[in-house]
Amino acid sequence: MGYTIAEKIIKAHLVSGEMKVGEEIGLRIDQTLTQDATGTMAYLEFEAMGIPQVKTERSVAYVDHNTLQSGFENADDHKYIQTVAAKHGVYFSRPGNGICHQVHYERFGIPGKTLIGSDSHTPTGGGLGMLAMGAGGMDVAVAMGGGAYHIPMPRMIFVELIGELRPNVSAKDIILEVLRMLSVKGGVGAIVEYGGEGVATLSVPERATITNMGAELGATTSIFPSDEVTRQFMAAQDREADWSPLASDPDAEYAERYSINLSELEPLAACPNSPDNVKPVRELAGIKVDQVAIGSCTNSSFADMTKTASVLKGHKIADSVSLGISPGSRQVLSMMAESGALTDMIDAGARILECACGPCIGMGFSPNSKGVSLRTFNRNFLGRSGTKDGQVYLVSPETAAASALTGYITDPTTLPPIAQPQQPDRFRINDDGIIAPLPAAEAEAAEVLRGPNIKPFPETSPLDDHIEAAVILKVGDNITTDHIMPAGSKVLPYRSNVPKISEFCFSVVDETFAARAKAAGKGFIVGGSNYGQGSSREHAALAPLYLGIKAVIAKSFARIHAANLVNAGILPLIFENPDDYDEIEQGDVLRLDNVRAALGDDRIILHAGNKDIQLRMELAERQKEVLLAGGLLDYAAMGN
């Protein structure tokens, strides 16, 4: 039996476990990335390990999330990240240099390498043929220290791409079609590989758009072959020496197979408030648009910007529309300026925003109350834009630009064909925005700067053997990490201050949660299916930890969040019978007995009043030891 692309990379990096679906495996990690919303905590965790220098081939710290500096907090975190990176062997990408995923595949990504990042859209690197995965900050810290990254061995899904996209239909429409087919839960426990004749028609940035948004499937990652298209892209980035071919074997086996005929695809949109709420744009045509945002790590390449400028050139945006454009990197922005695309955008009435995540995480450019906002981003969760009742649609750059001109959702295939931009023979390369770490001889004496907003890691303790507490909150299906720990300009500055950020925990769902949980001292959360989907942000586990949450009981969990709960020392428990979810109400007092012994059986009885409910644990042996120790940092401190 042959191997898939992902299986080949896993096999080459396997340090523990067997490649059997569902069993835990440990992988050697070649590269890591962090961003500033998660990076401060990740580096505090790395420092706690006492390891002087990172042991990866390349680790990069990016500043791209918290760039709105309305107080000292974000600026202090940036100083901390820059100085701790310099001291410990990490490259530092300055504010304004670009969005981590865009910059990383431009300047650092290498086919066949493993990459984990403290951002759920790290799978963007799969567009280059990397095994790139989102992870919690603690897992990234461990990898920087030379430790393995542990995941359940995924099953393999193959998506065959047939034919070629029609004019004004784009890669964004491909991933929206996959989301329509599979849903936000369809990729859980899987790696999605793209193949078929249509792959050769897609550029690396187009492939990266697809792998980026594969995170919304719940997939472990997504991946494309490394082929001649990949080689040409890396040669244009002056990195051809890093290229190598990579493809699946002809007799590779997949758990599931799907097929998309690109020539039959039409423009699509994800309607509020889920990336899988997908409809054809033609069915939405005529809805009045208040705001359009183009960019983010999903659609901010030079090709995306060029197509946008082609639509806008010689026209004016509608009087009723506010248009903001976020280039993905300084490289993209400088090439926009040289090519004239930037002038075309400005002349059309666009606001040019910083090369950063910005509006995608509610960090500025939020829509008006109940406003319709078309965004080329990857997520449209409730309140993520910074406006709780904002109506956010996810669309391609072509759809976004066409709609900005008309003031209404517009099918771009009704416009003249947009010229497909050709990849330049050489991108404009200037790495001055990336600062190399200090030489080892200077690093030991280097000072790490810490502002007053940076607080220690929350206190942890070994797993309790008896837990009796009330249900502080009961929620439904598809609860995202944006529900648990919101982003936005009011919240993100406190990412290095868990006591403060915990005050916002679940505020989108129940503004009283944090106060009630803290007053109770300890408690349970009960959830539905796919609990914790979305971002890799470990604060969605650290804030509940600080507030005394001992266990989350759900019908099922998203992979990264379940791992983050374990790393924080919180039990992720699953209803053996999903219907038992209906037997528990918020406020009920629940009891778990002999918890530590129950870990060995993978089963535990939940005592809920007069009813006993069977729960199970989907935990690897290592995760059980982590829980017994009280969390990953405690486990690592014990010499593991």
Side-chain angles (χ1 to χ4, degrees):
M1 184 188 77
Y3 291 102
T4 69
I5 298 171
E7 286 170 341
K8 289 182 179 182
I9 301 175
I10 290 171
K11 187 172 184 288
H13 290 79
L14 192 67
V15 297
S16 65
E18 295 184 36
M19 292 170 56
K20 296 180 180 178
V21 173
E23 292 195 13
E24 186 178 70
I25 56 173
L27 299 174
R28 184 183 77 254
I29 298 301
D30 300 317
Q31 298 185 354
T32 67
L33 67 80
T34 59
Q35 37 89 341
D36 48 317
T38 57
T40 306
M41 192 60 63
Y43 293 111
L44 287 169
E45 292 156 356
F46 179 80
E47 284 186 297
M49 295 178 186
I51 298 171
Q53 292 282 295
V54 297
K55 298 181 180 180
T56 49
E57 295 176 7
R58 181 65 56 95
S59 287
V60 188
Y62 294 90
V63 174
D64 60 5
H65 275 58
N66 298 354
T67 57
L68 183 63
Q69 292 166 284
S70 58
F72 66 89
E73 293 89 354
N74 288 343
D76 278 3
D77 281 0
H78 299 169
K79 281 292 184 185
Y80 167 74
I81 293 172
Q82 182 174 353
T83 55
V84 78
K87 184 177 181 71
H88 293 292
V90 179
Y91 286 77
F92 178 75
S93 179
R94 304 174 69 133
N97 192 56
I99 302 170
C100 57
H101 310 303
Q102 178 70 30
V103 176
H104 206 86
Y105 84 74
E106 287 175 352
R107 306 305 303 141
F108 298 115
I110 299 175
K113 296 290 187 179
T114 54
L115 164 69
I116 65 169
S118 58
D119 189 288
S120 54
H121 291 108
T122 302
T124 306
L128 273 179
M130 299 189 79
L131 188 72
M133 297 166 285
M138 270 190 270
D139 283 317
V140 175
V142 167
M144 287 192 292
Y149 177 53
H150 295 89
I151 59 169
M153 178 65 193
R155 72 187 191 280
M156 302 293 150
I157 295 176
F158 185 76
V159 178
E160 181 184 22
L161 303 180
I162 302 167
E164 187 171 0
L165 293 169
R166 294 182 294 125
N168 300 9
V169 184
S170 79
K172 185 60 160 282
D173 301 311
I174 298 174
I175 187 58
L176 289 173
E177 175 67 7
V178 176
L179 276 157
R180 180 162 66 170
M181 293 163 56
L182 298 183
S183 85
V184 292
K185 296 184 286 188
V188 173
I191 292 176
V192 181
E193 178 185 322
Y194 292 86
E197 63 183 24
V199 166
T201 69
L202 299 175
S203 67
V204 166
E206 288 174 312
R207 298 174 186 188
T209 289
I210 294 167
T211 55
N212 171 285
M213 209 166 164
E216 309 335 313
L217 297 164
T220 302
T221 192
S222 302
I223 195 164
F224 276 81
S226 175
D227 55 12
E228 179 61 19
V229 173
T230 318
R231 186 197 66 77
Q232 291 176 3
F233 175 83
M234 296 188 71
Q237 290 284 355
D238 198 23
R239 298 200 300 117
E240 187 174 1
D242 288 335
W243 177 79
S244 60
L246 187 60
S248 58
D249 292 328
D251 57 344
E253 295 183 0
Y254 299 87
E256 301 167 41
R257 286 179 176 267
Y258 300 89
S259 180
I260 298 175
N261 191 328
L262 302 184
S263 60
E264 296 176 357
L265 202 60
E266 62 179 313
L268 299 171
C271 304
N273 290 300
S274 180
D276 63 357
N277 185 16
V278 176
K279 295 181 180 179
V281 170
R282 58 180 167 77
E283 294 183 7
L284 306 170
I287 294 176
K288 188 176 182 301
V289 174
D290 299 290
Q291 183 196 67
V292 174
I294 298 174
S296 91
C297 59
T298 317
N299 281 114
S300 59
S301 68
F302 180 58
D304 289 319
M305 297 293 109
T306 301
K307 288 189 288 186
T308 298
S310 295
V311 177
L312 297 177
K313 186 173 183 177
H315 301 285
K316 298 288 185 185
I317 63 172
D319 291 346
S320 58
V321 172
S322 177
L323 170 62
I325 297 176
S326 308
S329 67
R330 192 168 68 153
Q331 179 185 95
V332 171
L333 179 59
S334 63
M335 292 179 70
M336 288 165 58
E338 285 185 345
S339 68
L342 187 62
T343 299
D344 293 336
M345 292 173 173
I346 294 171
D347 286 350
R351 296 166 58 183
I352 307 303
L353 308 179
E354 192 171 13
C355 298
C357 302
C360 184
I361 50 167
M363 189 61 73
F365 205 69
S366 296
N368 54 293
S369 178
K370 298 181 181 179
V372 171
S373 178
L374 268 58
R375 299 180 163 215
T376 66
F377 303 170
N378 40 44
R379 289 183 177 149
N380 58 349
F381 301 148
L382 178 68
R384 181 179 172 88
S385 66
T387 302
K388 189 170 182 179
D389 59 359
Q391 300 299 296
V392 176
Y393 294 78
L394 306 177
V395 298
S396 69
E398 293 89 334
T399 299
S403 303
L405 295 179
T406 64
Y408 299 88
I409 295 181
T410 299
D411 183 345
T413 60
T414 62
L415 304 180
I418 301 166
Q420 188 67 19
Q422 296 299 307
Q423 178 180 280
D425 293 332
R426 180 177 172 84
F427 288 93
R428 190 175 190 276
I429 298 166
N430 182 338
D431 290 331
D432 289 349
I434 299 169
I435 301 174
L438 292 171
E442 300 176 26
E444 187 174 351
E447 180 185 7
V448 175
L449 302 177
R450 306 172 201 275
N453 189 51
I454 298 175
K455 303 298 182 186
F457 190 84
E459 289 186 13
T460 59
S461 59
L463 183 66
D464 292 335
D465 199 37
H466 172 83
I467 304 172
E468 185 170 1
V471 176
I472 308 298
L473 186 67
K474 183 180 180 182
V475 291
D477 294 343
N478 296 323
I479 288 296
T480 73
T481 49
D482 279 76
H483 288 110
I484 303 168
M485 197 65 261
S489 59
K490 295 180 181 178
V491 181
L492 281 175
Y494 301 111
R495 283 297 174 91
S496 56
N497 185 342
V498 174
K500 179 64 178 179
I501 203 170
S502 70
E503 296 175 11
F504 300 91
C505 190
F506 274 111
S507 59
V508 174
V509 176
D510 181 348
E511 293 183 350
T512 70
F513 168 79
R516 291 189 295 105
K518 194 168 185 181
K522 60 181 177 178
F524 293 97
I525 293 172
V526 173
S529 299
N530 201 27
Y531 180 89
Q533 68 152 321
S535 169
S536 65
R537 63 190 70 160
E538 65 182 346
H539 295 76
L542 296 182
L545 167 68
Y546 177 80
L547 294 171
I549 297 302
K550 299 297 184 181
V552 179
I553 308 164
K555 295 180 182 180
S556 65
F557 289 90
R559 176 188 67 86
I560 299 176
H561 186 63
N564 285 343
L565 289 174
V566 171
N567 289 347
I570 298 174
L571 275 167
L573 302 171
I574 301 170
F575 289 104
E576 187 70 50
N577 178 3
D579 292 341
D580 285 334
Y581 166 89
D582 298 321
E583 299 294 327
I584 300 175
E585 299 297 332
Q586 187 167 306
D588 288 354
V589 175
L590 311 179
R591 191 178 84 248
L592 296 170
D593 296 324
N594 302 316
V595 177
R596 295 174 70 87
L599 286 180
D601 299 329
D602 295 317
R603 295 287 188 277
I604 192 168
I605 298 295
L606 177 70
H607 303 288
N610 296 324
K611 185 175 178 62
D612 288 347
I613 295 174
Q614 181 72 60
L615 306 176
R616 74 176 189 275
M617 304 174 228
E618 295 181 350
L619 300 169
E621 292 302 313
R622 180 195 59 87
Q623 289 181 306
K624 295 173 185 178
E625 294 174 7
V626 169
L627 283 167
L628 289 171
L632 185 58
L633 283 185
D634 301 276
Y635 177 73
M638 294 164 63
N640 297 293

